[in-house]
Amino acid sequence: MKYSKIIASGSALPGLAVSNAALSERLAAQGVETSDQWIVERTGIRQRFLASDSDTSSSLGARAARAALEMAGVPADSVDLIVVATSTPDHIFPSTACYVQRDLGIHGGAAFDVQAVCAGFVYGLATADALIRTGAARRALVIGAEVFSRILDWTDRGTCVLFGDGAGALLLEASDAPGIHACRLHADSRHEPALRTAGGVRNGQVYGHPFLTMDGQAVFKIAVTVLDQVGREVCEASGVPLDSVDWLIPHQANVRILQAVTKRLGLAPEKAIVTVDQHANTSAASVPLAFDHALRSGMLKPGHRVLMEGVGGGFTWGAALATL
């Protein structure tokens, strides 16, 4: 039986970090009042990275992919599958994954996007894992890449301070030994009004509301509940007790959500990888960005069991358990 195994990771962040203080100054010029203290107390976020005009989801995704390939020491043309999770694609079509493939100089193999918002990376990981297990692919790049700053209403203090831009990538390859043990994915569209960007393009014109809207209290309650449930579900499916999980890498939305989920799962606080303070909420990029940070800093080591979780608009959620 074939399995998929994570062999490398990479990340890419645009421009310079924008601190809460710097962001507060920018927003004040638009009549929006906020402060470093207000943001930190409610979210744990201290800074974020914001895309320049030249940054795109594909350019950030390609940079993250190159970093993963360099870590693994394998050539780009050995990749026969690219899955990009994004809610902010470069264009309506082609897919962002096709642009990443072009930028990496790869010709052939499958390349496509998945869209499950902040759960998108876990959805993409589960898809790549399944294709490798069936023999349809041997080496895959799974990328989360976002430029959420372009769908934010910068007059809405409740949302514009929460998000950042960036990309993260994991490189998977076929293995005879289990790497990714199990993945579980879910969705429930009854919760759709709590988090959405409901605008669109029709006949060359924008219709509806083109910016992200969110009911913060509803999102908190849903996120904590479903991340607890799916974390337990994927551990049970893997036959791995929760207390033997070495690291939890949840979607980096809000430090309060991270703390609540870690507590509900019965894991020690120090087992949770937290990067939301540095990156803010980067949607589909948050889990691979946190993974890459933990791997490169020496926190993640061979043999460690890692539980990755995501939850996003739709509502969508999922989890994957892997041994490095």
Side-chain angles (χ1 to χ4, degrees):
M1 182 176 181
K2 285 293 182 186
Y3 300 92
S4 68
K5 190 172 184 66
I6 299 167
I7 62 169
S9 64
S11 59
L13 295 165
L16 298 175
V18 178
S19 68
N20 288 342
L23 182 65
S24 298
E25 289 184 12
R26 292 188 191 184
L27 295 177
Q30 300 175 206
V32 179
E33 292 186 10
T34 190
S35 68
D36 175 67
Q37 182 180 357
W38 189 92
I39 297 169
V40 171
E41 287 180 352
R42 287 161 178 77
T43 69
I45 296 167
R46 296 186 179 277
Q47 64 174 34
R48 75 284 297 141
F49 291 79
L50 299 179
S52 69
D53 289 343
S54 62
D55 291 311
T56 62
S57 289
S58 70
S59 67
L60 292 169
R63 280 175 52 198
R66 289 190 192 97
L69 292 166
E70 182 178 349
M71 176 186 283
V74 300
D77 60 10
S78 69
V79 173
D80 53 9
L81 173 64
I82 300 174
V83 182
V84 174
T86 186
S87 298
T88 52
D90 292 14
H91 300 127
I92 294 173
F93 70 86
S95 69
T96 300
C98 282
Y99 289 129
V100 170
Q101 186 196 59
R102 175 201 62 192
D103 291 350
L104 295 177
I106 300 171
H107 309 289
F112 57 88
D113 293 355
V114 296
Q115 214 285 41
V117 201
C118 303
F121 182 78
V122 176
Y123 268 60
L125 192 63
T127 302
D129 174 58
L131 289 170
I132 289 175
R133 284 174 181 257
T134 64
R138 177 161 182 81
R139 184 169 285 160
L141 279 164
V142 184
I143 301 165
E146 302 283 15
V147 284
F148 251 55
S149 59
R150 292 175 185 162
I151 59 170
L152 298 179
D153 179 355
W154 290 98
T155 66
D156 178 9
R157 181 177 68 165
T159 58
C160 71
V161 301
L162 303 179
F163 294 89
D165 304 325
L170 295 190
L171 182 63
L172 279 60
E173 70 176 14
S175 171
D176 293 327
I180 296 179
H181 297 281
C183 304
R184 291 295 183 268
L185 306 176
H186 298 280
D188 188 342
S189 60
R190 291 176 297 178
H191 303 302
E192 177 268 338
L195 179 59
R196 61 183 176 181
T197 301
V201 177
R202 181 183 297 156
N203 299 324
Q205 301 294 320
V206 174
Y207 71 94
H209 188 66
F211 301 122
L212 179 150
T213 60
M214 182 176 71
D215 179 342
Q217 290 186 343
V219 169
F220 181 92
K221 292 177 182 178
I222 296 166
V224 171
T225 298
V226 301
L227 290 178
D228 173 37
Q229 292 173 348
V230 77
R232 295 177 184 278
E233 180 187 1
V234 80
C235 284
E236 182 178 352
S238 304
V240 174
L242 258 170
D243 59 10
S244 70
V245 170
D246 294 292
W247 297 103
L248 170 67
I249 305 182
H251 168 50
Q252 307 287 310
N254 180 308
V255 73
R256 293 181 178 180
I257 293 176
L258 273 67
Q259 291 169 343
V261 171
T262 305
K263 184 177 181 179
R264 282 207 183 190
L265 289 171
L267 298 175
E270 58 269 20
K271 285 191 172 185
I273 304 297
V274 179
T275 57
V276 67
D277 58 325
Q278 299 299 305
H279 301 151
N281 183 345
T282 54
S283 190
S286 80
V287 170
L289 277 171
F291 187 104
D292 187 56
H293 165 77
L295 184 61
R296 291 177 186 271
S297 64
M299 299 168 73
L300 302 185
K301 299 182 184 301
H304 279 179
R305 288 171 173 164
V306 182
L307 176 59
M308 294 170 276
E309 298 185 309
V311 58
F315 252 67
T316 57
W317 64 95
L321 182 68
T323 295
L324 301 186

